[in-house]
Amino acid sequence: MEIKKQTNLRGTLTVPGDKSISHRAVMFGSLANATTRITHFLEGADCLSTISCFRKMGIDIDRNGDEILVHGKGLHGLSAPTGILDVGNSGTTTRLISGILAGQKFTSELDGDDSIRTRPMKRIMTPLTSMGADITSKLDNECAPLIIHGKPLHATHYDSPVASAQVKSCVLLAGMYADGITSVTEPFLSRNHTEIMLNYFGADITSEGTTASIKPEPVLEGREVQVPGDISSAAYFIAAGLLTPGSEILLKNVGINPTRAGILKVCMDMGADITLLNESTEGEPTADLLIRTSSLKGTVIEGGIIPTLIDEIPMIAVMAAFAEGTTIIRDAQELKVKESDRIAVMVDNLTRMGADIEGTDDGMIIHGGKPLHGAVIDSYLDHRIAMSFAVAGTICDGTVDILNGECVNISYPEFYHDLYSLNK
């Protein structure tokens, strides 16, 4: 994929539906009574993997125009899967569905692509095992494939060593099948889409500080779910609008949940011109984002804000390379176990473009303001790397060639089309 320099990015976009919320709508709709209607569902490869898994467990899921219809069968309505549950590239599918499968009355096997087979699963195996689950790594390396023999589960209080919505959600979902109240405490608050949506479906989840608790055996009812635009997908156009000269971009109906919207705070700290319009606080908070070209400066990103922008750090690193001054990113060791080692990959690729960047054990130090030039970029089949460097290519001199750039299909199949639609 070749990306060339652009100016004057202008227009209005509706970014794809939120990936995290799309996954959960299918999962919770499958465990609810009656039909759940999902609009603005993200039809990326990851969310389609979730649909495929639940279809294999006897859930009818179909399309009606722009809607996805999930015909749920209740909390105990899943059937033994017909074959291996293929999670593709989706860590969310793998970790959340494991919590559901742990309490079933059947055995299942989860497997995915080469990337998923390297993602750490001990972080969910440990709490599930403490609840009495029988979950093992088939290759005995704490990664997929996972074999899960469903069993009755015990309630637990789990002190998670990482602030991870996937770990928290896995435990809470298993807690629906436990014999008492199950709770999870995190070091920092991770995204809370599971808590918001499960309560909307009829579960009883309470949150206090960084602890979330769920009562067992909820009766979930099918719902109407309107998926907001994914702020992780919006991040690339936020960056493009801020960095590309003469630009003004309006992003419609973007989710701005505080547990996800750390990138907005970082952009503001860097001097961004971003205006929130038409804000709504019903259910998942949303707003339209008006982005205008800005002169950015370096900042420090650390601590509790990291879980709210972990997926956006590759894009933030690119922004920092174009900003004046130094940006320091700390407490982001989680980047090493994403679809790629995003610290090493960002340092490698930005260095190829002429940036002054060094990696650390838990982040990066970026001395911005140096002119960047085109280069051959290895995406490592990581959609967020590919999209971040596509934006870099619209700003730097020369051509950026992205190897395996089609990996954006995992979360944003129309990404390149939307990017070029702004320069007409």
Side-chain angles (χ1 to χ4, degrees), residues 178-311:
D179 56 7
I181 294 175
T182 293
S183 57
V184 184
T185 298
E186 305 179 278
F188 301 105
L189 183 63
S190 67
R191 58 185 68 174
N192 63 356
H193 301 308
T194 292
E195 296 95 302
I196 291 173
M197 190 182 291
L198 266 183
N199 275 335
Y200 176 57
F201 272 82
D204 189 345
I205 294 183
T206 56
S207 299
E208 185 174 343
T210 62
T211 299
S213 304
I214 188 169
K215 291 183 179 179
E217 295 295 328
V219 178
L220 307 182
E221 299 293 343
R223 295 290 191 182
E224 305 274 339
V225 178
Q226 293 183 313
V227 181
D230 194 324
I231 194 165
S232 296
S233 295
Y236 307 104
F237 297 102
I238 293 171
L242 294 175
L243 294 171
T244 307
S247 297
E248 182 174 296
I249 301 171
L250 182 64
L251 304 175
K252 301 285 286 185
N253 193 40
V254 178
I256 56 167
N257 183 315
T259 66
R260 280 289 293 287
I263 187 170
L264 295 180
K265 182 181 186 304
V266 167
C267 287
M268 300 297 191
D269 289 346
M270 296 178 79
D273 184 350
I274 300 176
T275 305
L276 274 59
L277 306 170
N278 300 319
E279 288 188 67
S280 170
T281 56
E282 292 185 17
E284 288 281 350
T286 61
D288 298 340
L289 307 181
L290 181 61
I291 317 297
R292 296 187 179 96
T293 302
S294 307
S295 296
L296 302 183
K297 62 181 187 298
T299 190
V300 177
I301 306 164
E302 61 186 352
I305 198 172
I306 293 294
T308 72
L309 48 66
I310 191 71
D311 287 335

Side-chain angles (χ1 to χ4, degrees), residues 6-290:
Q6 301 183 48
T7 58
N8 302 302
L9 299 181
R10 293 181 172 268
T12 299
L13 286 177
T14 299
V15 297
D18 186 284
K19 188 152 76 88
S20 298
I21 295 172
S22 294
H23 279 300
R24 286 161 174 79
V26 170
M27 292 185 185
F28 305 165
S30 297
L31 303 177
N33 299 311
T35 297
T36 291
R37 297 178 180 272
I38 310 169
T39 54
H40 201 44
F41 177 82
L42 172 62
E43 300 218 26
D46 278 9
C47 295
L48 296 178
S49 292
T50 292
I51 285 180
S52 172
C53 287
F54 280 91
R55 280 177 172 161
K56 286 185 176 179
M57 292 187 287
I59 303 300
D60 292 328
I61 303 173
D62 49 52
R63 170 189 294 283
N64 180 24
D66 294 333
E67 296 179 329
I68 299 293
L69 304 180
V70 182
H71 304 288
K73 293 186 176 181
L75 195 65
H76 298 279
L78 299 180
S79 305
T82 54
I84 292 172
L85 296 175
D86 184 356
V87 300
N89 185 251
S90 179
T92 302
T93 306
T94 310
R95 296 192 179 112
L96 269 62
I97 207 172
S98 292
I100 295 169
L101 295 173
Q104 301 301 318
K105 294 182 178 180
F106 51 75
T107 295
S108 47
E109 180 175 345
L110 293 171
D111 200 4
D113 65 11
D114 290 343
S115 171
I116 275 294
R117 285 185 163 209
T118 67
R119 305 279 293 276
M121 295 300 157
K122 183 178 180 181
R123 55 181 53 188
I124 60 163
M125 295 171 70
T126 296
L128 289 178
T129 300
S130 75
M131 298 175 74
D134 184 348
I135 176 170
T136 56
S137 168
K138 191 173 183 179
L139 303 180
D140 199 26
N141 62 354
E142 298 175 344
C143 298
L146 299 177
I147 307 294
I148 303 174
H149 301 285
K151 294 177 64 176
L153 300 179
H154 308 301
T156 191
H157 175 87
Y158 184 59
D159 283 304
S160 178
V162 294
S164 165
Q166 293 180 3
V167 173
K168 174 174 62 177
S169 298
C170 173
V171 177
L172 292 175
L173 290 171
M176 295 194 298
Y177 299 93
D179 56 7
I181 294 175
T182 293
S183 57
V184 184
T185 298
E186 305 179 278
F188 301 105
L189 183 63
S190 67
R191 58 185 68 174
N192 63 356
H193 301 308
T194 292
E195 296 95 302
I196 291 173
M197 190 182 291
L198 266 183
N199 275 335
Y200 176 57
F201 272 82
D204 189 345
I205 294 183
T206 56
S207 299
E208 185 174 343
T210 62
T211 299
S213 304
I214 188 169
K215 291 183 179 179
E217 295 295 328
V219 178
L220 307 182
E221 299 293 343
R223 295 290 191 182
E224 305 274 339
V225 178
Q226 293 183 313
V227 181
D230 194 324
I231 194 165
S232 296
S233 295
Y236 307 104
F237 297 102
I238 293 171
L242 294 175
L243 294 171
T244 307
S247 297
E248 182 174 296
I249 301 171
L250 182 64
L251 304 175
K252 301 285 286 185
N253 193 40
V254 178
I256 56 167
N257 183 315
T259 66
R260 280 289 293 287
I263 187 170
L264 295 180
K265 182 181 186 304
V266 167
C267 287
M268 300 297 191
D269 289 346
M270 296 178 79
D273 184 350
I274 300 176
T275 305
L276 274 59
L277 306 170
N278 300 319
E279 288 188 67
S280 170
T281 56
E282 292 185 17
E284 288 281 350
T286 61
D288 298 340
L289 307 181
L290 181 61

